[in-house]
Amino acid sequence: MKATKLSIPDIILLEPQTYSDDRGFFYESYNQKKLDTLLNLTNPFVQDNHSQSKKGVLRGLHYQLPPMGQGKLVRVTQGEVYDVAVDIRRSSPTYKKWTGHVLSAENKKQLWIPAGFAHAYLVLSDTAEFLYKTTNYYSPTHERSIIYNDKEIAIDWPKNITITLSDKDKLGKELSESEVFD
């Protein structure tokens, strides 16, 4: 598995070694020992989540406050998404910076997003199935949401897609009004 630090060094793009032939393909999508080494993990993964969404659905920008902050290992098993992570750690040199990457069933890439980041994805294909592991359990009382089009963050979302938000995500706050990490 190849690990690449991105423009925000704590976000790591993982590319598996894929073995393909006329029967199909095989790759190792999860190996705790390798991930512990590559990502310097200190907390184990405790929950798996799986969502299916239609084209234009944007989920996020979600995060959980301490002590329930979640690291996420995300991937797509069907379709294609534009995946975004935003640094919301006030003490970080990359505070308010974001990085976005296309994840798809075809490219088999995964992103590691540690606690202290808001996360969102926009479905680019007709449908997409999105899987992610978390290092902490879901906690509604610690969950927060930043509005996807916050002007201060200024994410450059893909164009020519009509965005659909959940009622909950429509209530996301501006970063300047949000509780974030110190």
Side-chain angles (χ1 to χ4, degrees):
M1 186 173 291
K2 179 182 172 187
T4 305
K5 290 186 177 191
L6 301 176
S7 59
I8 301 173
D10 294 327
I11 306 295
I12 300 174
L13 182 69
L14 299 168
E15 299 176 72
Q17 184 171 8
T18 304
Y19 303 93
S20 300
D21 61 25
D22 59 346
R23 298 170 298 152
F25 69 85
F26 170 85
Y27 71 96
E28 188 175 78
S29 63
Y30 179 77
N31 179 310
Q32 185 70 48
K33 187 175 179 181
K34 287 181 184 176
L35 290 173
D36 284 348
T37 301
L38 290 172
L39 305 177
N40 198 24
L41 290 179
T42 55
N43 296 327
F45 293 108
V46 297
Q47 183 174 318
D48 278 0
N49 300 311
H50 185 153
S51 69
Q52 187 272 342
S53 304
K54 296 177 183 178
K55 185 174 188 170
V57 168
L58 193 151
R59 296 183 185 263
L61 295 157
H62 301 150
Y63 62 100
Q64 288 187 177
L65 292 172
M68 299 302 291
Q70 292 179 316
K72 296 177 181 178
L73 181 63
V74 304
R75 67 188 179 113
V76 172
T77 58
Q78 182 270 315
E80 180 177 72
V81 307
Y82 186 66
D83 195 86
V84 172
V86 179
D87 190 345
I88 57 168
R89 303 168 298 171
R90 279 196 181 100
S91 60
S92 170
T94 56
Y95 177 58
K96 301 182 191 177
K97 302 283 188 225
W98 63 274
T99 185
H101 297 276
V102 173
L103 303 179
S104 69
E106 186 176 324
N107 70 24
K108 299 171 185 56
K109 294 177 181 178
Q110 299 181 61
L111 274 183
W112 164 244
I113 305 162
F117 287 79
H119 174 254
Y121 64 92
L122 172 64
V123 178
L124 304 176
S125 51
D126 288 339
T127 61
E129 292 201 24
F130 191 85
L131 279 71
Y132 59 105
K133 295 182 170 303
T134 64
T135 59
N136 215 333
Y137 297 102
Y138 174 66
S139 174
T141 59
H142 293 86
E143 182 183 34
R144 300 293 185 273
S145 182
I146 297 169
I147 193 70
Y148 80 99
N149 59 355
D150 179 280
K151 290 174 183 57
E152 191 173 8
I153 299 170
I155 296 169
D156 185 18
W157 294 103
K159 308 295 185 252
N160 303 320
I161 294 182
T162 302
I163 291 176
T164 303
L165 298 173
S166 69
D167 290 341
K168 182 169 76 171
D169 285 345
K170 288 176 186 175
L171 299 175
K173 295 180 177 182
E174 298 286 330
L175 177 63
S176 61
E177 303 169 335
S178 298
E179 297 173 83
V180 295
F181 289 68
D182 291 327

